[in-house]
Every structure is written in structure tokens, then in C-alpha cells.
């Protein structure tokens, strides 16, 4: 081998080693984070998490009110954002396909998809919390909905795009109206993908903390009243983790583990769904 | 095979439906309503973005009126004397994001190259999924890990030695100055880097996947090594997309709230030392919003939010334009 070839192979070897080292280095960090989360979370994990309220300082307790509050906030947010996201996605892929307006909406939607979530909180604070004179569960759900809508729009459009046009044409040939084709053919054929989008949106908003700080805030007590501040896991984790009481910190870790596991399970489910949706076409 | 079967199945299903159509679904009125509903929903997306801007501007108006454009480069932030300026928060945001991007980009690129080019075939898919799942972990988890685990270690094993090492070096002693307390802008930047890494890496992986196989193979055919193909074919081909993913990561880092709020130390002053506590736009808002009792204070926080909105809009718009150029 001459010197040039040797040098090239040496450079290749060095780059390979550096790339491998970098990958391992990052994976080590991520394993560290996940390990900490699992260790701390499971040492604080107990069945009473699901039955007892969040405690005052120095006492033990559970997360029942925060879990229920989070479920309500996310549930209402999805009830609002699913139809809006679905319809907007429908516009992008059916009515508006190829138009100037659709490309603007698509672009704005992509920007919203990555916008800092704290801004959604400030926005909802200005339009709901301040005029209504107080923090409320409705406001929290509104902020979460604003974050969820772009996710639903994006997946709906992508998934409806996979539906072959020949199927739509077949329905038109039978004399179906446009809305009928969308409802009975496009939605039906893309339903797995659309469901995936909804699941992804749930995963996306379940761990959001910043927007809830300015909207639903938190509540130490049992509360299912959406017109007042309502307990929820993310803000509870934030407040308890920032406090020096060991009991509270343990609860924060347990809550963190709960949220992360939920999100991971949802992400994995959506992945399985997506795979079956893609194999259909 | 499955393709044909599924299509026939779907056809059969829809055909079955058509035998007994609920009549109103085919009516002209429903047809029109449905169309306008979906147009309305699409316009609603635009309204959200517009609403962000308008409502933040209205909220920020009292502060903008009182402090004027000078708000941006005033460094006082004092709720007691009611003097507010955005400079410390802007500086903190830019410094932490810069640290995050400098650390995250080369590592994310390495991971993306490893997953797409170097890893054994069986490992590529699981590794890609693992990276995507890590990108879905909520930022508050990164913040807690940073506060309870990373910061103490960083103080003992990194900050301390670095401070001692550069003690007598003129400029570096200022940059790496201060007690090794673990929390501060450098820590925030590093935790941010780790948080945005999986995100950037998975976008970069998608971008690198768009390189046509033919291009890479022609490289290998003339005897190029993996590294030479990466350097001379992949990087030039994906330049725009890679830049787009960096901007996307930057947009994420600029507005990240929870991971930063835990560990930045929450100090509204500007220092030359990156080990000193600081504040970002997002962490200032998160920390002070509920304690802002005067109108001018909460309005100043809204003005910070407006600034963040404008900065991230520009960054994300650039990112999108770059990524859209390659995707379709």
C-alpha cells in the first residue's frame, strides 16, 4: 500500500472511531438519565400513589388528584383539538390540495409544531385567564389543545395523502358527493394513521409543564372542577421537585416516571399502528 | 399481494356502505357545510399564529410604551424599582442556546451518520427508534436529572478543575470564573444539548436517508472510504437539510423552559463567566410570572414572551424553508 492509500484508510479509521465514540458517549448519557428516572421513580413507587391525595409538607401521600386532573386536562384538550386538527388536515389534503392557502397553512402549522410551548401558555393566559379573572382547568386544556392541533393536522394530512386516488375516483364514479368521499373513503382508509396522530398528540401534551404554569396552575386538593385551578402531574412534579422535602421529591420522581412511561407506551403504540398503516398501502 | 387485497377489501367496504347511505350525508347542504368547516379549521391554524402575536403584543403594550425599544438592550431587571430590561434574559438565552448547539450538532451528526451508514444493519432500526423515543421524553425529566444528578457531578469533576486550571490565564479566568456550584449557564447549556440531541439526530437521520443510493454507490465504486463518501457526497448533498435540522434544534433550545428553569440559577444579571447563574427568556417568565403583582412587571414578562415569539418564529421559519426544499 502506498502512503496515500494508507493515509486515507487511517482517516477513515479515525473517523469511524470518533463517530462510534460520540454515539456511545451520547447513549451513555441517555442511559444515565433513564436509569436515574427508573431508579428514583421505582423506589418512590407505591400503590397508594393512585389512591391518596398530594400531601402537605412532611407527610406522605399519593398523586391521585394530580393523575385525575392530568387525565381531564388532556382529555378535554384532545376533544377540542381532534376535530379541528382532522378538519384542517382534510382541507390540506382534499379541498385545498395544491392551492396557495394550503401551502401557507402547512408552513404555519409546521412552525407551530415546533414553537416553544411556554408561548401557548402566555397566549391562553391573555385570552382566557386574564379576562375570566383566574386560573382554570379550561384554560389549561385550551393551552394543551393549541399544542396538540398541529400534531393532529400534520399526521392527518400525511396519512390521507397515502390513500390512493383511484379509491376516491371509484367513489366519485358511483355518484358520491365530495364530503361523502372524504368521510367514507379517505377517512376510512386512513383511520389507523389518523388515530396514530391523535395518540402522538396525547403523548406530546402529556408531559407539557410550561403552558400549564400560566393556565391551570396546580391544586393541592381533590378537584374535578374545570373552572378553577386543577391539580396536574407536570406542574406538581415541578413544584415538588423544587422543594427540599424528601417526601415531595420522591413523589415528583414517581410522577415523572409515570408520565414518561405513559408517553413511551403511547409512542410505541403509535409506531406499531403506523407500521400497519404503511403496510396497507 | 397485500396491496391488492387491502384495496379490494376497502373497495368492498365502501361499496357495502353505499347500499344504504344515510341520506343527509349526500345532500348539498351537508356537502357545503363540511367544506366550509374544513376551510374554517385551516384558517383557525393561521389564527392561532396571529393570535399569539396579537395577544402577546397587547399584553406587552404597557411595558413597550414605558420602556420603548430600549427594553431590548437595557440590563436592569428590578421588580422593586419597576425597572425592566430584557438584556440579561436575551444574553442568557443566546449563551445557553449557543453552548447547546455547539455541543449537540457534531454529536447529533455523528449519531445520524452512525445509524444511517456505519451501524450493522440489524442495529439501525432499533437504534433509530430508541433515539426517537428519547426525543419524546418530557423536558422536565431532563431538568430534574440535571438538578439532582448532573449539576453536583459537573461542579465536582468539571467546574472545579477548570476553574483551578485557568485561574491565572487572563481571559479564560474570567469566562470560567466563580464558585463551582453546579448550577448556572454552562450547566443549562449542556443539559439543553443533551435534550435536543436525540431530536436533531433523528431529523438529520431522515435528511441523510434522502441521499440517493446511486450517489453513495458511485462513490464507493471508485474506491472511496466511508468517511470520504460522508464528506464528499452526503454532506454536500444534504447541506440545506442538515442546516435546517440545526435551526430546528436551535428553535427548540431557545424556547425550552423546564429543563433550563431547574438549573440556570435564576439570576437577572449579566456576567462574563459561563459558570455563573443566569436566566433565559423562558426561565424568567416561568419563575416570575406568578409573583408578578404589578402591571408593569407582568407586562414586561409578556414583552419577553413577544421577543421569544419573534426570535423563534424567524429561526423556525428558516428551518422549515430549508427542510421543505429537500423533502418534496
Amino acid at each position: 500500500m502506498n502512503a496515500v492509500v494508507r493515509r486515507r484508510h487511517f482517516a477513515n479509521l479515525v473517523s469511524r472511531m470518533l463517530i462510534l465514540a460520540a454515539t456511545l458517549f451520547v447513549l451513555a448519557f441517555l442511559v444515565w438519565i433513564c436509569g436515574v428516572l427508573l431508579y428514583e421513580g421505582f423506589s418512590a413507587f407505591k400503590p397508594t400513589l393512585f389512591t391518596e391525595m398530594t400531601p402537605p409538607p412532611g407527610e406522605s401521600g399519593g398523586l391521585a388528584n394530580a393523575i385525575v386532573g392530568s387525565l381531564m386536562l388532556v382529555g378535554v384538550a384532545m376533544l377540542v383539538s381532534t376535530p379541528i386538527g382532522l378538519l384542517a388536515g382534510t382541507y390540506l389534503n382534499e379541498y385545498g390540495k395544491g392551492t396557495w392557502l394550503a401551502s401557507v397553512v402547512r408552513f404555519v402549522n409546521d412552525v407551530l409544531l415546533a414553537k416553544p410551548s411556554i408561548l401557548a401558555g402566555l397566549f391562553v393566559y391573555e385570552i382566557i385567564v386574564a379576562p375570566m379573572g383566574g386560573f382554570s382547568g379550561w384554560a389549561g386544556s385550551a393551552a394543551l389543545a393549541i399544542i396538540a392541533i398541529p400534531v393532529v393536522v400534520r399526521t392527518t394530512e400525511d396519512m390521507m395523502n397515502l390513500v390512493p386516488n383511484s379509491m376516491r375516483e371509484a367513489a366519485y364514479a358511483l355518484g358520491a358527493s365530495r364530503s361523502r368521499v372524504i368521510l367514507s373513503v379517505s377517512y376510512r382508509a386512513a383511520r389507523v394513521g389518523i388515530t396514530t396522530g391523535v395518540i402522538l398528540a396525547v403523548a406530546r401534551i402529556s408531559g407539557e409543564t410550561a403552558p400549564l404554569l400560566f393556565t391551570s396552575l396546580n391544586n393541592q386538593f381533590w378537584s374535578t372542577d374545570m373552572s378553577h385551578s386543577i391539580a396536574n402531574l407536570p406542574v406538581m412534579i415541578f413544584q415538588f421537585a423544587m422543594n427540599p422535602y424528601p417526601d415531595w421529591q420522591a413523589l415528583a420522581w414517581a410522577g415523572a416516571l409515570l408520565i414518561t412511561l405513559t408517553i413511551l407506551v403511547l409512542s410505541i403504540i403509535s409506531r406499531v399502528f403506523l407500521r400497519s398503516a404503511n403496510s396497507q398501502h | 399481494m397485500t396491496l391488492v387485497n387491502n384495496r379490494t377489501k376497502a373497495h368492498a367496504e365502501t361499496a357495502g356502505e353505499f347500499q344504504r347511505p344515510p341520506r343527509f350525508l349526500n345532500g348539498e347542504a351537508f356537502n357545503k357545510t363540511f367544506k366550509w368547516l374544513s376551510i374554517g379549521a385551516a384558517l383557525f391554524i393561521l389564527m392561532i399564529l396571529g393570535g399569539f402575536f396579537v395577544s402577546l403584543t397587547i399584553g406587552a403594550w404597557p411595558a413597550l410604551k414605558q420602556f420603548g425599544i430600549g427594553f431590548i438592550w437595557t440590563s436592569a431587571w428590578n421588580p422593586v424599582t419597576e425597572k425592566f430590561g430584557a438584556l440579561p434574559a436575551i444574553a442568557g438565552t443566546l449563551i445557553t442556546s449557543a453552548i447547546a448547539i455547539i455541543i449537540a450538532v457534531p454529536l447529533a451528526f455523528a449519531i445520524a451518520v452512525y445509524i444511517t451508514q456505519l451501524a450493522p444493519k440489524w442495529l439501525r432500526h432499533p437504534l433509530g427508534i430508541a433515539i426517537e423515543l428519547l426525543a419524546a421524553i418530557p423536558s422536565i425529566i431532563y431538568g430534574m436529572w440535571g438538578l439532582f444528578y448532573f449539576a453536583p457531578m459537573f461542579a465536582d469533576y468539571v467546574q472545579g478543575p477548570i476553574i483551578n486550571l485557568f485561574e491565572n490565564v487572563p481571559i479564560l479566568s474570567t469566562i470560567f470564573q466563580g464558585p463551582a456550584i453546579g448550577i448556572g449557564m454552562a450547566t443549562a447549556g449542556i443539559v439543553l444539548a443533551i435534550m435536543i440531541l436525540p431530536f436533531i439526530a433523528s431529523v438529520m437521520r431522515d435528511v441523510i436517508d434522502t441521499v440517493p443510493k446511486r450517489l453513495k454507490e458511485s462513490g464507493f465504486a471508485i474506491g472511496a472510504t466511508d468517511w470520504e463518501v460522508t464528506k464528499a457526497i452526503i454532506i454536500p448533498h444534504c447541506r440545506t437539510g442538515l442546516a435546517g435540522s440545526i435551526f430546528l434544534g436551535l428553535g427548540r433550545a431557545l424556547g425550552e423552559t423546564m429543563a433550563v428553569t431547574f438549573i440556570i440559577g435564576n439570576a437577572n444579571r449579566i456576567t462574563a463567566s459561563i459558570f455563573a447563574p443566569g436566566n433565559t427568556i423562558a426561565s424568567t417568565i416561568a419563575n416570575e410570572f406568578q409573583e408578578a403583582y404589578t402591571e408593569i412587571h407582568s407586562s414586561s414578562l409578556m414583552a419577553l414572551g413577544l421577543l421569544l415569539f419573534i426570535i423563534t418564529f424567524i429561526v423556525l421559519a428558516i428551518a422549515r424553508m430549508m427542510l421543505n426544499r429537500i423533502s418534496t
Side-chain angles (χ1 to χ4, degrees):
Chain A
M1 268 202 275
N2 64 33
V4 176
V5 173
R6 257 209 307 278
R7 203 186 60 224
R8 287 175 49 207
H9 279 272
F10 182 69
N12 191 38
L13 199 67
V14 170
S15 76
R16 260 170 176 275
M17 304 240 275
L18 283 178
I19 286 170
L20 187 63
T23 309
L24 289 176
F25 177 72
V26 173
L27 285 179
F29 263 93
L30 297 169
V31 167
W32 183 15
I33 295 172
C34 294
V36 161
L37 179 65
L38 288 174
Y39 169 74
E40 292 273 9
F42 275 116
S43 14
F45 210 82
K46 50 185 197 273
T48 50
L49 284 179
F50 300 98
T51 53
E52 289 178 14
M53 303 296 113
T54 46
E59 286 175 36
S60 69
L63 301 167
N65 50 342
I67 294 171
V68 171
S70 265
L71 288 176
M72 289 177 64
L73 288 175
V74 172
V76 172
M78 290 318 297
L79 283 181
V80 177
S81 53
T82 304
I84 296 177
L86 188 60
L87 283 169
T90 306
Y91 176 77
L92 291 184
N93 194 59
E94 303 274 346
Y95 292 112
K97 199 163 196 171
T99 63
W100 171 84
L101 179 62
S103 45
V104 172
V105 171
R106 192 174 299 121
F107 184 82
V108 167
N109 192 64
D110 282 342
V111 168
L112 285 176
L113 204 55
K115 269 263 159 212
S117 57
I118 191 172
L119 293 174
L122 289 179
F123 172 42
V124 171
Y125 179 88
E126 275 296 318
I127 62 165
I128 298 182
V129 178
M132 303 230 303
F135 300 103
S136 70
W138 298 123
S141 285
L144 293 182
I146 287 175
I147 299 167
I149 288 172
V151 184
V152 181
V153 174
R154 189 67 214 245
T155 18
T156 303
E157 194 206 349
D158 288 351
M159 290 301 136
M160 286 174 75
N161 206 11
L162 292 177
V163 179
N165 264 333
S166 55
M167 278 171 62
R168 293 191 184 89
E169 283 156 9
Y172 284 129
L174 290 172
S177 68
R178 187 137 202 206
S179 53
R180 183 86 175 119
V181 171
I182 293 171
L183 285 171
S184 302
V185 179
S186 303
Y187 282 174
R188 182 167 281 251
R191 62 180 183 264
V192 179
I194 294 172
T195 319
T196 309
V198 175
I199 297 175
L200 278 177
V202 173
R204 171 76 208 274
I205 60 177
S206 303
E208 281 296 350
T209 317
L212 295 179
L213 284 175
F214 321 117
T215 51
S216 74
L217 208 56
N218 199 1
N219 196 331
Q220 289 283 73
F221 306 103
W222 178 262
S223 163
T224 50
D225 181 2
M226 290 285 281
S227 55
H228 289 96
S229 56
I230 191 166
N232 60 84
L233 278 173
V235 179
M236 192 281 310
I237 294 172
F238 178 54
Q239 291 179 343
F240 279 17
M242 292 293 242
N243 266 294
Y245 308 108
D247 281 344
W248 275 12
Q249 287 184 4
L251 275 179
W253 281 111
L257 179 66
L258 211 59
I259 285 194
T260 310
L261 288 182
T262 311
I263 291 172
L264 290 187
V265 167
L266 289 173
S267 311
I268 291 168
I269 291 176
S270 66
R271 215 157 282 281
V272 174
F273 267 36
L274 265 188
R275 185 174 283 182
S276 72
N278 283 333
S279 67
Q280 264 181 24
H281 299 292
Chain B
M1 264 315 281
T2 46
L3 188 125
V4 177
N5 280 342
N6 276 319
R7 274 197 204 174
T8 13
K9 209 176 84 198
H11 279 186
E13 270 177 28
T14 33
E17 281 276 304
F18 274 109
Q19 286 169 4
R20 40 178 173 73
R23 191 163 282 155
F24 80 96
L25 283 185
N26 254 341
E28 192 48 31
F30 179 80
N31 209 10
K32 274 215 173 94
T33 319
F34 193 76
K35 180 178 182 182
W36 284 107
L37 275 178
S38 64
I39 293 177
L43 292 176
F44 187 74
I45 306 289
L46 300 182
M47 275 167 53
I48 294 179
L49 190 78
F52 270 72
F53 183 72
V54 171
S55 71
L56 287 171
T57 309
I58 293 173
W61 194 246
L64 294 181
K65 214 168 58 183
Q66 180 158 347
F67 304 118
I69 191 76
F71 179 74
I72 297 173
W73 55 81
T74 310
S75 64
W77 184 274
N78 191 337
V80 181
T81 58
E82 298 195 347
K83 288 273 177 294
F84 297 100
L87 195 59
I90 293 176
T93 306
L94 296 182
I95 292 170
T96 51
S97 298
I99 296 174
I101 287 293
I102 290 170
I103 297 173
V105 167
L107 290 174
F109 181 68
I111 293 178
V113 170
Y114 184 74
I115 293 180
T116 51
Q117 314 295 319
L118 301 180
K121 279 272 181 325
W122 58 269
L123 191 61
R124 292 182 185 185
H125 194 61
L127 207 55
I129 290 180
I131 295 290
E132 278 176 30
L133 289 180
L134 287 163
I137 292 179
S139 56
I140 191 166
I141 312 289
Y142 288 93
M144 286 174 77
W145 165 82
L147 177 65
F148 292 116
Y149 284 83
F150 181 70
M153 266 196 68
F154 185 66
D156 289 347
Y157 297 107
V158 181
Q159 272 188 321
I162 288 185
I163 291 170
N164 291 335
L165 184 65
F166 295 121
E167 210 171 12
N168 299 314
V169 186
I171 297 163
L172 293 177
S173 68
T174 322
I175 297 178
F176 301 110
Q177 186 188 38
I181 47 173
I183 54 174
M185 289 194 283
T187 323
I190 294 170
V191 173
L192 267 181
I194 295 167
M195 205 199 83
I196 60 175
L197 242 166
F199 180 67
I200 302 182
S202 69
V203 182
M204 281 185 169
R205 184 203 56 181
D206 294 344
V207 168
I208 294 179
D209 268 340
T210 62
V211 179
K213 224 176 179 166
R214 239 182 294 158
L215 278 184
K216 285 190 284 187
E217 277 164 3
S218 48
F220 289 124
I222 55 166
T225 60
D226 284 318
W227 174 239
E228 284 158 352
V229 168
T230 307
K231 207 172 53 175
I233 296 176
I234 295 177
I235 295 181
H237 187 268
C238 305
R239 206 181 283 130
T240 323
L242 292 174
S245 55
I246 294 172
F247 273 89
L248 216 52
L250 178 62
R252 190 102 183 233
L254 287 168
E256 175 46 40
T257 314
M258 301 323 290
V260 171
T261 308
F262 271 99
I263 42 179
I264 188 129
N266 200 21
N268 285 313
R269 56 167 193 268
I270 300 177
T271 48
S273 166
I274 61 165
F275 285 164
N279 237 340
T280 67
I281 293 178
S283 75
T284 308
I285 301 172
N287 269 313
E288 297 188 9
F289 201 80
Q290 278 142 39
E291 291 145 25
Y293 295 116
T294 55
E295 194 205 6
I296 193 71
H297 190 183
S298 56
S299 169
S300 300
L301 291 173
M302 282 291 174
L304 283 183
L306 181 63
L307 272 176
L308 182 62
F309 174 85
I310 295 169
I311 298 171
T312 50
F313 181 81
I314 295 170
V315 169
L316 293 173
I318 294 174
R320 262 302 133 202
M321 284 191 249
M322 288 174 158
L323 287 171
N324 284 353
R325 262 211 277 172
I326 60 144
S327 64
T328 42

